[in-house]
Amino acid sequence: MLRKETTFLKVSEKEVTNETAALIGELSTFGEKNGNHLKFKEAGLSGDFRKLSAETKIKPEIIKGVSEKNVELLHDIVEVFMSFVTAPIFTDDFGMDHAPRQDWEKRVGLRNGDDCLSPAAKKYYHSNRLGFNRCFSVVKLMADVTHMILDPEWHACFQKLEEKIPLEFLEKDENNNFKYDGLEDPEKIKVVEKLSTVVRDEIFLLKV
């Protein structure tokens, strides 16, 4: 039985599959054992959402006039979007201290081939949506999607979605760092939740 007071901040049991709950449990135990408490805010959209998306196709009217190469790219981009919205959001004891976190990950075997965790749990750990690179990649891909869509009406729809991307991923501070990097964990969670909603809506807009 997972200890909700230490493992979950919001995720309810009905939103988490048995497989995902097992991964969260494995990671939480591993973190506590190695002196770094992993606190899960969200488990990501369920496998049912991924199954629903896999059973649908990109709307034919959207890809009208789009080159075959770009259509293939759109399919790949949708997979990246799916990977993002079905990934977890969790924090740890390091907060904004990235270097100590990286040192900890090396020490406990998360940055090499050590079998410190099951392959699925290690992959789940590295899929955390709070990572800037993960967020920035989907932000860039959303711009790529808009650029690929040629139909004026559909292009405008995707452009409108782009306008909902949180500014923290677009604006920089006085040190030329993206504002997202300077946020504390609670603020990062709010911003990533907003981005996740936009990415989910992009999937719905693309798929039948």
Side-chain angles (χ1 to χ4, degrees), residues 101-183:
R101 177 184 297 110
Q102 292 172 357
D103 290 341
W104 177 81
E105 290 173 346
K106 291 176 183 177
R107 178 171 59 81
V108 300
L110 284 168
R111 285 184 170 261
N112 52 45
D114 289 357
D115 56 353
C116 58
L117 288 165
S118 67
K122 185 178 283 191
K123 181 179 180 181
Y124 197 64
Y125 173 85
H126 287 296
S127 70
N128 189 3
R129 267 181 283 160
L130 290 188
F132 174 79
N133 289 336
R134 291 217 75 202
C135 295
F136 193 72
S137 66
V138 298
V139 168
K140 183 181 182 304
L141 287 174
M142 285 187 68
D144 291 342
V145 169
T146 302
H147 180 74
M148 283 188 243
I149 304 304
L150 302 178
D151 181 273
E153 292 186 6
W154 283 109
H155 182 90
C157 290
F158 285 99
Q159 199 166 42
K160 189 173 182 179
L161 261 184
E162 264 196 90
E163 294 171 359
K164 295 182 179 181
I165 294 173
L167 294 177
E168 288 82 356
F169 296 114
L170 305 173
E171 297 179 348
K172 294 186 176 182
D173 59 22
E174 60 275 9
N175 298 315
N176 203 36
N177 297 317
F178 283 100
K179 290 183 176 180
Y180 177 79
D181 274 338
L183 300 178

Side-chain angles (χ1 to χ4, degrees), residues 61-125:
E61 59 269 30
I62 286 179
I63 55 178
K64 185 176 181 180
V66 177
S67 69
E68 184 176 337
K69 178 181 178 181
N70 281 347
V71 171
E72 291 179 2
L73 282 175
L74 283 172
H75 284 288
D76 292 340
I77 289 172
V78 170
E79 284 304 307
V80 175
F81 289 163
M82 286 297 307
S83 175
F84 184 76
V85 298
T86 56
I89 293 177
F90 64 89
T91 61
D92 60 16
D93 294 338
F94 295 107
M96 297 173 65
D97 298 328
H98 302 303
R101 177 184 297 110
Q102 292 172 357
D103 290 341
W104 177 81
E105 290 173 346
K106 291 176 183 177
R107 178 171 59 81
V108 300
L110 284 168
R111 285 184 170 261
N112 52 45
D114 289 357
D115 56 353
C116 58
L117 288 165
S118 67
K122 185 178 283 191
K123 181 179 180 181
Y124 197 64
Y125 173 85

Side-chain angles (χ1 to χ4, degrees), residues 2 13 15-25:
L2 294 176
E13 289 182 346
E15 294 173 321
V16 182
T17 63
N18 291 336
E19 180 182 0
T20 300
L23 294 176
I24 292 173

